[in-house]
Coordinates of all heavy atoms in Angstrom, one line a residue:
E286 N 23.0 -36.4 36.3 CA 22.3 -36.3 35.1 C 21.9 -34.7 34.9 O 21.9 -34.1 33.9 CB 21.1 -37.1 35.1 CG 21.4 -38.6 34.8 CD 20.2 -39.5 34.7 OE1 19.1 -38.9 35.0 OE2 20.3 -40.6 34.5
N287 N 21.3 -34.2 36.1 CA 20.9 -32.7 36.1 C 22.1 -31.8 35.8 O 22.0 -30.7 35.2 CB 20.2 -32.3 37.3 CG 18.8 -33.0 37.5 OD1 18.2 -33.4 36.4 ND2 18.4 -33.4 38.6
T288 N 23.2 -32.2 36.4 CA 24.5 -31.4 36.2 C 25.1 -31.3 34.8 O 25.5 -30.4 34.2 CB 25.5 -31.7 37.2 OG1 25.0 -31.8 38.4 CG2 26.7 -30.8 37.2
T289 N 25.0 -32.5 34.2 CA 25.7 -32.7 32.9 C 24.7 -32.4 31.6 O 25.1 -32.4 30.6 CB 26.2 -34.1 32.7 OG1 25.2 -35.1 32.9 CG2 27.4 -34.4 33.8
H290 N 23.5 -32.2 32.0 CA 22.4 -32.1 31.0 C 22.5 -30.6 30.4 O 22.5 -29.7 31.2 CB 21.1 -32.3 31.4 CG 20.0 -32.1 30.4 ND1 19.8 -32.8 29.3 CD2 19.1 -31.1 30.4 CE1 18.9 -32.5 28.6 NE2 18.3 -31.4 29.2
V291 N 22.6 -30.4 29.1 CA 22.7 -29.1 28.4 C 21.5 -28.9 27.7 O 21.1 -29.7 26.8 CB 23.9 -29.1 27.5 CG1 24.0 -27.7 26.8 CG2 25.2 -29.3 28.3
P292 N 20.7 -27.9 27.9 CA 19.4 -27.8 27.2 C 19.7 -27.3 25.7 O 20.6 -26.7 25.4 CB 18.7 -26.5 27.9 CG 19.8 -25.9 28.6 CD 20.8 -26.9 29.0
R293 N 18.8 -27.9 24.9 CA 19.0 -27.7 23.5 C 18.5 -26.3 23.1 O 17.5 -25.9 23.6 CB 18.2 -28.7 22.7 CG 18.7 -30.2 22.9 CD 17.9 -31.1 22.2 NE 17.8 -30.8 20.7 CZ 17.1 -31.5 19.8 NH1 16.3 -32.3 20.2 NH2 17.2 -31.1 18.5
T294 N 19.3 -25.6 22.4 CA 18.9 -24.3 22.0 C 18.3 -24.3 20.4 O 18.9 -25.2 19.7 CB 20.0 -23.3 22.1 OG1 21.1 -23.8 21.3 CG2 20.5 -23.1 23.5
H295 N 17.4 -23.4 20.1 CA 16.8 -23.5 18.8 C 17.3 -22.2 18.1 O 17.0 -21.1 18.6 CB 15.3 -23.6 19.0 CG 14.6 -23.7 17.6 ND1 14.7 -24.7 16.8 CD2 13.9 -22.7 17.0 CE1 14.0 -24.5 15.7 NE2 13.5 -23.3 15.8
H296 N 17.9 -22.4 17.0 CA 18.4 -21.2 16.3 C 17.5 -21.0 15.1 O 17.6 -21.8 14.1 CB 20.0 -21.5 15.8 CG 20.9 -21.7 16.9 ND1 21.4 -20.6 17.6 CD2 21.4 -22.8 17.5 CE1 22.2 -21.1 18.6 NE2 22.2 -22.4 18.4
S297 N 16.8 -20.0 15.2 CA 15.7 -19.8 14.1 C 16.4 -19.1 12.9 O 15.8 -19.3 11.8 CB 14.7 -18.7 14.6 OG 15.3 -17.5 15.0
R298 N 17.6 -18.6 13.0 CA 18.2 -18.0 11.8 C 18.9 -19.1 11.0 O 19.1 -18.9 9.8 CB 19.3 -17.1 12.2 CG 18.7 -15.8 12.8 CD 19.8 -14.8 13.2 NE 19.2 -13.6 13.8 CZ 18.9 -12.5 13.0 NH1 19.0 -12.5 11.8 NH2 18.3 -11.4 13.6
T299 N 19.4 -20.3 11.5 CA 20.1 -21.3 10.8 C 19.2 -22.4 10.5 O 19.6 -23.3 9.8 CB 21.3 -21.8 11.6 OG1 20.9 -22.2 12.8 CG2 22.2 -20.6 11.8
D300 N 18.0 -22.6 11.0 CA 17.2 -23.8 10.8 C 16.5 -23.5 9.5 O 15.6 -22.5 9.4 CB 16.2 -24.0 12.1 CG 15.4 -25.3 11.9 OD1 15.8 -26.0 10.9 OD2 14.6 -25.6 12.7
P301 N 16.6 -24.4 8.5 CA 16.0 -24.1 7.3 C 14.5 -24.4 7.3 O 13.8 -23.9 6.4 CB 16.7 -25.0 6.3 CG 17.2 -26.2 7.1 CD 17.5 -25.6 8.4
K302 N 14.0 -25.1 8.3 CA 12.6 -25.5 8.4 C 11.9 -24.5 9.2 O 10.6 -24.7 9.5 CB 12.5 -26.9 9.0 CG 13.0 -28.0 8.1 CD 12.8 -29.3 8.8 CE 13.4 -30.5 7.9 NZ 13.3 -31.8 8.4
D303 N 12.5 -23.5 9.8 CA 11.9 -22.6 10.7 C 11.0 -21.6 9.9 O 11.5 -21.0 8.9 CB 12.9 -21.7 11.4 CG 12.3 -20.8 12.5 OD1 11.2 -21.0 12.7 OD2 13.0 -20.0 13.0
P304 N 9.7 -21.5 10.1 CA 8.8 -20.6 9.3 C 9.2 -19.2 9.5 O 8.8 -18.4 8.7 CB 7.5 -21.0 9.8 CG 7.7 -21.5 11.1 CD 9.0 -22.2 11.1
A305 N 9.8 -18.8 10.6 CA 10.1 -17.5 11.0 C 11.5 -16.9 10.3 O 11.9 -16.0 10.7 CB 10.1 -17.2 12.4
M306 N 12.0 -17.8 9.5 CA 13.2 -17.4 8.8 C 13.0 -16.1 7.9 O 12.1 -16.1 7.2 CB 13.7 -18.6 7.8 CG 15.2 -18.4 7.3 SD 15.6 -19.8 6.3 CE 17.2 -19.2 5.7
P307 N 13.9 -15.1 8.0 CA 13.7 -14.0 7.2 C 13.9 -14.1 5.8 O 14.7 -14.9 5.4 CB 14.8 -13.0 7.9 CG 15.8 -13.9 8.4 CD 15.1 -15.1 8.9
N308 N 13.1 -13.4 5.0 CA 13.1 -13.5 3.6 C 14.4 -12.9 3.0 O 14.8 -13.1 1.9 CB 12.0 -12.9 2.9 CG 10.7 -13.7 3.2 OD1 10.7 -14.8 3.5 ND2 9.6 -12.8 3.3
A309 N 15.2 -12.0 3.8 CA 16.3 -11.5 3.3 C 17.5 -12.4 3.1 O 18.5 -12.2 2.5 CB 16.8 -10.4 4.4
S310 N 17.3 -13.6 3.7 CA 18.4 -14.7 3.5 C 18.4 -15.2 2.1 O 19.3 -16.0 1.7 CB 18.2 -15.8 4.6 OG 17.1 -16.3 4.5
R311 N 17.3 -15.0 1.6 CA 17.1 -15.5 0.2 C 17.1 -14.3 -0.9 O 16.1 -13.7 -1.1 CB 15.9 -16.3 0.0 CG 15.8 -17.6 0.8 CD 14.5 -18.3 0.6 NE 14.4 -19.4 1.6 CZ 13.4 -20.3 1.6 NH1 12.4 -20.0 0.8 NH2 13.4 -21.4 2.4
P312 N 18.3 -13.8 -1.2 CA 18.3 -12.5 -1.9 C 17.6 -12.8 -3.4 O 17.8 -13.7 -4.0 CB 19.7 -12.2 -2.2 CG 20.4 -13.6 -2.0 CD 19.6 -14.4 -1.0
R313 N 16.9 -11.6 -3.7 CA 16.3 -11.7 -5.1 C 17.3 -11.3 -6.1 O 18.0 -10.3 -5.8 CB 15.0 -10.8 -5.1 CG 13.9 -11.3 -4.1 CD 12.6 -10.4 -4.4 NE 12.9 -9.1 -3.9 CZ 12.9 -8.0 -4.8 NH1 12.8 -8.2 -6.2 NH2 13.1 -6.8 -4.3
R314 N 17.2 -12.0 -7.2 CA 18.1 -11.7 -8.3 C 17.4 -10.9 -9.4 O 16.3 -11.4 -9.8 CB 18.8 -12.9 -8.8 CG 19.7 -13.7 -8.0 CD 20.2 -14.9 -8.7 NE 21.1 -15.6 -7.8 CZ 22.5 -15.3 -7.7 NH1 22.9 -14.4 -8.4 NH2 23.2 -16.1 -6.9
L315 N 17.8 -9.8 -9.7 CA 17.2 -8.9 -10.7 C 17.4 -9.7 -12.0 O 18.5 -10.0 -12.4 CB 17.8 -7.6 -10.8 CG 17.3 -6.5 -11.7 CD1 15.9 -6.2 -11.2 CD2 18.2 -5.4 -11.8
P316 N 16.3 -9.8 -12.9 CA 16.5 -10.5 -14.1 C 17.5 -9.7 -15.0 O 17.5 -8.5 -15.0 CB 15.0 -10.4 -14.7 CG 14.2 -10.3 -13.5 CD 14.9 -9.6 -12.5
R317 N 18.0 -10.3 -15.8 CA 19.1 -9.7 -16.7 C 18.6 -8.8 -17.6 O 19.2 -7.7 -18.0 CB 20.1 -10.7 -17.4 CG 20.9 -11.6 -16.4 CD 21.8 -12.5 -17.1 NE 22.7 -13.2 -16.1 CZ 23.6 -14.1 -16.5 NH1 23.7 -14.4 -17.7 NH2 24.3 -14.7 -15.6
L318 N 17.4 -9.1 -18.1 CA 16.8 -8.1 -19.0 C 16.5 -6.8 -18.4 O 16.7 -5.6 -19.0 CB 15.5 -8.9 -19.7 CG 14.7 -7.9 -20.7 CD1 15.7 -7.5 -21.8 CD2 13.4 -8.6 -21.1
R319 N 15.9 -6.8 -17.2 CA 15.6 -5.6 -16.4 C 17.0 -4.8 -16.1 O 16.9 -3.6 -16.3 CB 14.8 -5.9 -15.3 CG 13.5 -6.4 -15.4 CD 12.8 -6.7 -14.1 NE 12.9 -5.6 -13.2 CZ 12.5 -5.7 -11.9 NH1 12.2 -6.7 -11.4 NH2 12.6 -4.5 -11.1
R320 N 18.0 -5.6 -15.8 CA 19.2 -4.9 -15.6 C 19.8 -4.3 -16.8 O 20.4 -3.3 -16.8 CB 20.2 -5.9 -15.0 CG 21.5 -5.2 -14.6 CD 22.4 -6.2 -13.7 NE 21.8 -6.4 -12.3 CZ 22.2 -7.2 -11.5 NH1 23.5 -7.8 -11.6 NH2 21.6 -7.3 -10.3
L321 N 19.7 -4.9 -18.0 CA 20.1 -4.4 -19.3 C 19.4 -3.2 -19.6 O 19.9 -2.2 -20.0 CB 19.9 -5.4 -20.3 CG 20.4 -5.1 -21.8 CD1 21.9 -5.1 -21.7 CD2 19.8 -5.9 -22.8
L322 N 18.0 -3.2 -19.3 CA 17.3 -2.0 -19.6 C 17.7 -0.8 -18.6 O 17.7 0.5 -19.0 CB 15.7 -2.2 -19.4 CG 15.2 -3.1 -20.5 CD1 13.7 -3.5 -20.1 CD2 15.3 -2.5 -21.8
A323 N 18.0 -1.1 -17.2 CA 18.4 -0.1 -16.4 C 19.8 0.4 -16.8 O 20.0 1.7 -16.7 CB 18.6 -0.8 -15.0
L324 N 20.7 -0.3 -17.2 CA 22.0 0.2 -17.6 C 21.9 1.1 -18.9 O 22.6 2.1 -19.1 CB 22.9 -1.0 -18.0 CG 23.5 -1.7 -16.9 CD1 24.3 -3.0 -17.3 CD2 24.4 -0.9 -15.9
A325 N 20.8 0.8 -19.7 CA 20.7 1.6 -21.0 C 20.0 2.8 -20.8 O 19.9 3.7 -21.7 CB 20.0 0.7 -22.0
T326 N 19.4 3.0 -19.6 CA 18.6 4.3 -19.4 C 18.9 4.9 -18.2 O 18.2 6.1 -18.0 CB 17.0 3.9 -19.4 OG1 16.8 2.9 -18.4 CG2 16.6 3.3 -20.8
D327 N 19.7 4.6 -17.4 CA 19.8 5.1 -15.9 C 20.9 6.3 -16.0 O 21.0 6.8 -14.8 CB 20.2 4.1 -14.9 CG 19.0 3.4 -14.4 OD1 17.8 3.7 -14.8 OD2 19.1 2.4 -13.6
N328 N 21.7 6.6 -16.9 CA 22.7 7.5 -16.9 C 22.7 8.3 -18.2 O 22.1 7.9 -19.1 CB 24.2 7.0 -16.6 CG 24.5 5.9 -17.5 OD1 24.7 6.1 -18.7 ND2 24.2 4.6 -17.0
W329 N 23.3 9.5 -18.1 CA 23.2 10.5 -19.3 C 24.0 9.9 -20.4 O 23.6 10.1 -21.6 CB 23.7 11.8 -18.8 CG 22.6 12.5 -18.0 CD1 22.7 12.8 -16.7 CD2 21.4 13.1 -18.5 NE1 21.5 13.4 -16.2 CE2 20.7 13.7 -17.4 CE3 20.8 13.1 -19.7 CZ2 19.5 14.2 -17.4 CZ3 19.5 13.8 -19.7 CH2 18.9 14.2 -18.6

């Protein structure tokens, strides 16, 4: 039993219930109105 037992590993990056999951995995989407304003004013 000791030989064949494989310890369980905890993957914090793939576990959706992990509170330490980085916020970068949930990308923020820029609202289309703000992007429209940016396109209308960001270049000459």
